[in-house]
Amino acid sequence: MKVLIIGGAGFVGGYLIRELNAAGHQIYATCLENESINGDCTVYNLDIMDANAAASVIGDIQPDVIYHLAAQSSVAVSWKKPQLTADINVIGTINILEAVRNSDKKDIRLLLIGSGEEYGFIRPDACPLSENEPLNPGNIYAATKACQGMLGEIYARAYDMDIIMVRAFNHSGPEQLPAFVISDFCRQIAMIEKGQSTAVMNVGNLTARRDFTDVRDVVRAYRLLGENGISGRTYNVGRGKAVEIQYILDTALGFSSADIEVKQDPARMRASDIPVIEPDVSRIYEDTGWTAEISMEKTIEDTLNYWRNTI
Ligand code: A2R
């Protein structure tokens, strides 16, 4: 298949390029002008805020499947830059939807990559969260991603387009920015081991339970949804088994022989932390056979080794 990845220079993009290459697909990927992509693929520059440019890239490539990953993907930035976040995640998505709708190629499959954050403030007994659970986003990033998914459903229905909506829960692995918890803990440990910081590990709320999947499993889910997902559906992508952040901390510390003191950092505590977020992942399993295979322990160990080799 001819596959186009929009937003291929990010954390997930690099892994998706490798996954699709290994499966024998022909890959095209876009990035912003100031970014680069080091995968085996044909690269185009594209800012999705430019509707004409989006139409021309899609018209030129005529892909069978498009993965739309381009986004302002940070919750923290979304509070500081709400307009930019809405522009990129909502207007940018409309530009892609319109480009696909008006394309000469009429059977393009489009995967819109959203987030488990869309569920937001969930009912206490709502877990595991099915795709039919009402959305109640708790931050601006989540609201824009919920909007992206709604637009996808509307375009699929109104124009009979082949669109799949994905709600990806926490994913992690080597190369992820340290704004995310597994990467953050592993980076701190690597820095302490190298004597680049004092032997104190700063942590936030350790009792929250979250669902973590290795990014290499996540991109396999995306490939399988591109190949076999059912058009018009929304899919949760996650392990389906939440763990306490404390478990992640203990596992990461267990891979190190350094003597590390753990300290709760008020700046890392979030007032509105929801105790448990865990998806129901039976739909993707039933439709594609996908289930997470890489253990959390391996994700943590690989991420720690990545930081040991990087800093
Ligand atoms: O913000 P940057 O400079 O890191 O660039 C990001 C890029 N991007 C854009 N691409 C085209 N036109 C734009 N106007 C635009 N604004 C930002 O999209 C980055 O290279 C890419 C998104 O990658 P990450 O931020 O690393 O996200 P990740 O972890 O790969 O997640 C992929 C998707 C996102 O839609 C998330 O919201 C979702 O999965 O969970």
Side-chain angles (χ1 to χ4, degrees):
M1 276 188 326
K2 216 191 236 192
V3 176
L4 169 61
I5 301 169
I6 297 177
F11 170 57
V12 174
Y15 285 97
L16 185 57
I17 290 168
R18 271 169 262 171
E19 171 70 27
L20 294 169
N21 256 321
H25 296 303
Q26 186 185 351
I27 304 168
Y28 297 80
T30 77
C31 61
L32 292 168
E33 233 167 53
N34 60 351
E35 295 179 313
S36 61
I37 295 179
N38 294 319
D40 189 2
C41 61
T42 307
V43 177
Y44 282 71
N45 283 140
L46 174 65
D47 183 332
I48 59 169
M49 294 312 297
D50 184 340
N52 292 331
S56 123
V57 168
I58 290 168
D60 201 38
I61 298 169
Q62 308 246 332
D64 299 302
V65 177
I66 298 177
Y67 291 93
H68 177 34
L69 300 177
Q72 193 303 92
S73 65
S74 156
V75 172
V77 172
S78 80
W79 288 116
K80 290 180 199 134
K81 299 183 175 176
Q83 198 164 17
L84 176 83
T85 305
D87 279 347
I88 296 171
N89 296 1
V90 180
I91 308 295
T93 296
I94 289 178
N95 291 341
I96 303 299
L97 285 163
E98 282 293 303
V100 173
R101 178 167 89 84
N102 295 317
S103 156
D104 292 337
K105 187 164 167 30
K106 290 299 165 206
D107 57 351
I108 297 176
R109 161 162 287 193
L110 174 62
L111 276 92
L112 297 175
I113 309 300
S115 168
E117 286 273 346
E118 292 171 42
Y119 293 104
F121 294 113
I122 54 177
R123 297 177 293 117
D125 59 350
C127 288
L129 294 159
S130 94
E131 289 86 351
N132 298 325
E133 187 66 19
L135 304 181
N136 193 7
N139 60 66
I140 289 156
Y141 164 77
T144 63
K145 285 288 174 174
C147 186
Q148 168 180 278
M150 288 173 193
L151 288 164
E153 283 181 22
I154 290 165
Y155 270 72
R157 213 179 306 123
Y159 303 120
D160 198 22
M161 288 165 64
D162 182 354
I163 305 174
I164 287 178
M165 283 62 62
V166 175
R167 295 190 188 128
F169 285 70
N170 304 62
H171 38 287
S172 201
E175 297 169 40
Q176 190 174 33
L177 293 175
F180 298 86
V181 67
I182 291 180
S183 200
D184 176 33
F185 287 174
C186 292
R187 180 169 172 272
Q188 289 194 59
I189 291 172
M191 288 183 72
I192 292 167
E193 286 177 347
K194 296 211 166 170
Q196 291 182 18
S197 66
T198 55
V200 178
M201 176 97 165
N202 291 301
V203 300
N205 180 4
L206 295 175
T207 62
R209 289 173 55 210
R210 295 291 182 267
D211 188 271
F212 290 89
T213 308
D214 193 288
V215 63
R216 294 161 285 196
D217 270 333
V218 169
V219 294
R220 191 168 48 81
Y222 293 175
R223 173 175 64 77
L224 290 168
L225 287 172
E227 292 169 352
N228 307 319
I230 295 179
S231 181
R233 283 205 167 165
T234 298
Y235 290 93
N236 286 336
V237 170
R239 188 180 295 278
K241 179 106 194 64
V243 296
E244 272 198 11
I245 305 298
Q246 177 78 57
Y247 177 76
I248 292 172
L249 177 65
D250 293 343
T251 306
L253 289 172
F255 284 122
S256 176
S257 52
D259 190 13
I260 297 173
E261 181 196 341
V262 174
K263 203 168 161 193
Q264 288 227 315
D265 174 3
R268 288 167 196 250
M269 305 292 281
R270 293 187 205 157
S272 61
D273 243 355
I274 298 158
V276 186
I277 302 180
E278 183 177 82
D280 176 345
V281 288
S282 49
R283 181 179 286 177
I284 186 170
Y285 178 70
E286 279 157 23
D287 288 359
T288 72
W290 180 86
T291 183
E293 285 172 358
I294 301 172
S295 70
M296 283 203 56
E297 295 73 20
K298 176 157 175 57
T299 307
I300 294 168
E301 189 176 18
D302 288 355
T303 307
L304 180 56
N305 286 334
Y306 163 75
W307 282 115
R308 282 174 173 150
N309 294 328
T310 304
I311 57 170

